[in-house]
Amino acid sequence: MELKAEQVLKVGEYEFPLDRLYYRGRNAHIWVKREGEAVLLGIDAFLAESAGYLNYISVTAEELTRGEAFANIESAKFVSKLYSPVSGRVVEVNSEVMENPRLVNQSPYEAWIVKVKPRSEAELGHEELLGESEAIAAWIEEEIARLEEE
Amino acid sequence: MTNLEELRNKPLEELLSLAWKLRKSNFEDVLFVSAPSAKRYEIAGFKNSPRSFVNVSVTGSACALRCEHCGGKLLESMLSVESEEELVALGKRLVEMGAEGVLISGGATREGSVPLRGFEHAMAELRRMGLRVIVHSGLVNEEDARSLKRAGVEQVLLDIIGDEATIKEVYHLNKTPADYARALEHLKREGLSIAPHIVVGLHRGEIRGEYEALRMITQAKPEAIVVVVLSPLYGTRFEGVAPPPPEEVAKLVAVARILNPKVRLNLGCAKPAKDKAEIETLAIDAGINTVAYPSEEALKHAEERGLELRFSELCCTLV
């Protein structure tokens, strides 16, 4: 569903739809979107852009622990891991994205990586999950400054 | 020299077994992990820095050859300098930021060389600043080799191609394997340390001139040998080409180890992402000393085989 302009936060050149949460823990840049009793996890526009075209994603865990790695990614500029914003169980892996990781660069907010059943509702309420525009903007501005410094 | 053709026809298991024994008897039980700044690498508790060892292009994104597998794409992520003054200024900034060294590279001329001669004085200045300086030279003649020697570069890296059709069709270059052999000779004659590269599967994923390249390299007695693997890049003519099977890569690495039992053997940066873990794991079994940006699976495998991991932010040939 197309979001209205006011439902999308723009920070620098990056867009952040406000229909989901953003995990700032471990500078993970993972978005979390509710889908029924489960949540979808994906990579935000900041990470998708700064990593460059992804060549590879592999999901490495079935049981997720908040703050722990759940996938490996590789691009021309990155060899790194993705860190989970929630504890819970993976109920589905997006095979289309596994097959063609560039979908993440093309549409970061549609190309989800895993669907997860969180261990409890509290998993979606911790302070490192950001949903308010001001908090997301402040964090991303810090991240842009860090990137420019590098 | 052990007969290369004979080795090539042996089963992979036999080659791996022999290669591993040679590794064990000639080197300490260490796998070196190389993670220079060209990629952000964060794995197994190690994180590299974005300015420790950087790649610099002396031609920006320009390249006269536009090889089929690259099309200039590899230049895009490098820092660009257009003059000696710019290179010296960059060197100063890098020193201030605590960098250890630079890989000076660039696009090729119509003759297949990287135009480094115009940067001789700047490279010498970088060395005086305390930076480690290695170069991608492409094909060199005698004067190019002398210039690199005068600049005091620490090591020269160049792809060696053993098949004329690959040179013409993939590199768009009117040269022969003999020209590559001569380049190695010129560099060795100047006493330069060389780290020739073999690109496995360079001919649209096929194995063509790789073993001839290995023969030429072995004869040149290099300081290190680097094996890289065709990684079809998005937006190039090779996008969609199937990379060579991991077993073929392992076979070449094992034969390289057997023919060069005491030479540092490295698996370099370029590897197709999907097969990366399998290639690295097999290369470890084939006696590789250093792997660039290895996967977690490879690190685990190395430890299971009794190798201690040592991480470095230098290019793999300097580790």
Side-chain angles (χ1 to χ4, degrees):
Chain A
M1 189 178 69
E2 191 86 0
L3 292 172
K4 291 179 187 162
E6 62 269 27
Q7 294 170 305
V8 178
L9 172 69
K10 198 147 190 236
V11 188
E13 61 188 285
Y14 311 107
E15 291 191 338
F16 298 85
L18 295 170
D19 59 350
R20 62 198 77 199
L21 303 169
Y22 295 88
Y23 180 45
R24 66 169 294 165
R26 305 195 68 159
N27 280 333
H29 289 279
I30 299 293
W31 55 257
V32 182
K33 189 179 179 195
R34 277 183 191 272
E35 195 177 86
E37 291 188 346
V39 291
L40 300 176
L41 306 187
I43 292 172
D44 74 15
F46 179 86
L47 178 57
E49 176 64 29
S50 54
Y53 272 112
L54 296 184
N55 298 319
Y56 183 64
I57 302 182
S58 67
V59 174
T60 52
E62 288 176 14
E63 287 295 332
L64 306 190
T65 305
R66 189 199 305 171
E68 299 288 315
F70 73 97
N72 292 326
I73 60 165
E74 181 153 356
S75 70
K77 295 189 267 181
F78 260 56
V79 180
S80 193
K81 293 171 178 299
L82 300 180
Y83 295 97
S84 179
V86 296
S87 296
R89 183 170 45 84
V90 174
V91 291
E92 193 179 342
V93 174
N94 189 344
S95 55
E96 216 180 325
V97 166
M98 298 299 113
E99 197 54 41
N100 182 9
R102 288 197 184 92
L103 292 174
V104 170
N105 302 96
Q106 286 157 9
S107 317
Y109 297 113
E110 284 166 32
W112 55 275
I113 295 168
V114 286
K115 186 188 279 190
V116 177
K117 176 89 172 43
R119 197 171 289 162
S120 71
E121 188 58 28
E123 290 298 325
L124 300 174
H126 62 87
E127 61 185 13
E128 290 191 305
L129 273 179
L130 308 179
E132 298 294 328
S133 301
E134 295 77 12
I136 299 167
W139 171 48
I140 296 301
E141 275 158 14
E142 275 171 31
E143 287 290 87
I144 292 170
R146 182 177 62 85
L147 194 68
E148 281 170 357
E149 215 168 90
E150 286 183 359
Chain B
M1 192 190 294
T2 315
N3 187 312
L4 197 148
E5 277 308 309
E6 205 176 290
L7 280 175
R8 197 181 161 181
N9 291 324
K10 286 187 187 295
L12 178 60
E13 287 309 314
E14 197 179 319
L15 291 171
L16 292 179
S17 167
L18 179 54
W20 180 256
K21 275 185 204 149
L22 287 168
R23 184 224 207 277
K24 291 284 284 180
S25 55
N26 289 302
F27 297 95
E28 53 182 340
D29 287 336
V30 171
L31 180 75
F32 292 93
V33 174
S34 157
S37 308
K39 284 190 185 199
R40 177 172 142 183
Y41 182 74
E42 191 176 358
I43 228 159
F46 176 83
K47 186 179 177 185
N48 65 354
S49 121
R51 288 286 176 267
S52 57
F53 202 97
V54 302
N55 295 350
V56 179
S57 168
V58 296
T59 66
S61 57
C63 176
L65 296 182
R66 297 272 148 186
C67 304
E68 300 282 298
H69 66 302
C70 168
K73 292 266 170 203
L74 296 173
L75 299 170
E76 288 172 7
S77 60
M78 297 182 186
L79 300 175
S80 176
V81 293
E82 286 177 0
S83 64
E84 291 214 285
E85 293 71 29
E86 280 185 24
L87 181 54
V88 171
L90 174 64
K92 283 180 186 159
R93 287 203 303 279
L94 290 170
V95 169
E96 281 165 16
M97 287 188 276
E100 286 187 73
V102 287
L103 165 60
I104 299 180
S105 184
T109 63
R110 287 298 320 158
E111 292 300 301
S113 63
V114 178
L116 296 171
R117 261 203 249 172
F119 291 84
E120 179 185 317
H121 300 294
M123 291 193 288
E125 185 59 32
L126 262 50
R127 292 287 285 149
R128 281 192 285 276
M129 291 175 198
L131 289 169
R132 303 187 75 170
V133 177
I134 61 175
V135 296
H136 272 156
S137 65
L139 282 171
V140 292
N141 59 27
E142 282 168 304
E143 186 44 40
D144 294 327
R146 282 190 208 113
S147 170
L148 292 172
K149 182 68 180 176
R150 286 193 297 268
V153 303
E154 195 172 342
Q155 199 166 53
V156 182
L157 285 54
L158 71 168
D159 293 350
I160 299 298
I161 312 174
D163 178 66
E164 194 168 338
T166 307
I167 298 169
K168 289 188 163 54
E169 292 168 27
V170 179
Y171 272 46
H172 309 143
L173 196 53
N174 191 24
K175 301 284 179 186
T176 67
D179 291 304
Y180 285 88
R182 269 194 291 279
L184 290 173
E185 280 169 25
H186 294 319
L187 294 165
K188 286 300 280 189
R189 197 169 299 132
E190 290 302 321
L192 288 155
S193 168
I194 56 170
H197 289 40
I198 301 174
V199 188
V200 186
L202 182 57
H203 200 105
R204 299 189 71 81
E206 288 173 37
I207 304 296
R208 292 275 290 247
E210 287 80 347
Y211 286 91
E212 176 58 14
L214 177 59
R215 190 194 62 73
M216 287 153 55
I217 289 169
T218 303
Q219 211 158 34
K221 298 188 172 29
E223 279 63 33
I225 299 172
V226 182
V227 174
V228 289
V229 187
L230 178 77
S231 310
L233 295 175
Y234 183 64
T236 66
R237 292 200 184 96
F238 273 16
E239 180 187 346
V241 163
E247 295 76 14
E248 288 292 348
V249 181
K251 195 167 209 178
L252 184 98
V253 173
V255 173
R257 167 52 69 226
I258 294 164
L259 294 177
N260 301 271
K262 295 186 177 179
V263 178
R264 291 293 296 267
L265 186 56
N266 304 337
L267 188 62
C269 307
K271 286 160 273 182
K274 267 191 180 168
D275 297 330
K276 177 180 145 132
E278 191 179 356
I279 289 170
E280 290 168 346
T281 302
L282 283 166
I284 289 166
D285 292 341
I288 212 92
N289 298 102
T290 307
V291 183
Y293 310 109
S295 61
E296 206 163 38
E297 292 94 322
L299 297 180
K300 195 167 163 240
H301 182 72
E303 288 185 314
E304 281 166 4
R305 294 222 64 175
L307 302 178
E308 178 201 328
L309 305 177
R310 283 194 204 154
F311 292 83
S312 167
E313 295 190 45
L314 297 172
C315 260
C316 70
T317 56
L318 291 177
V319 173

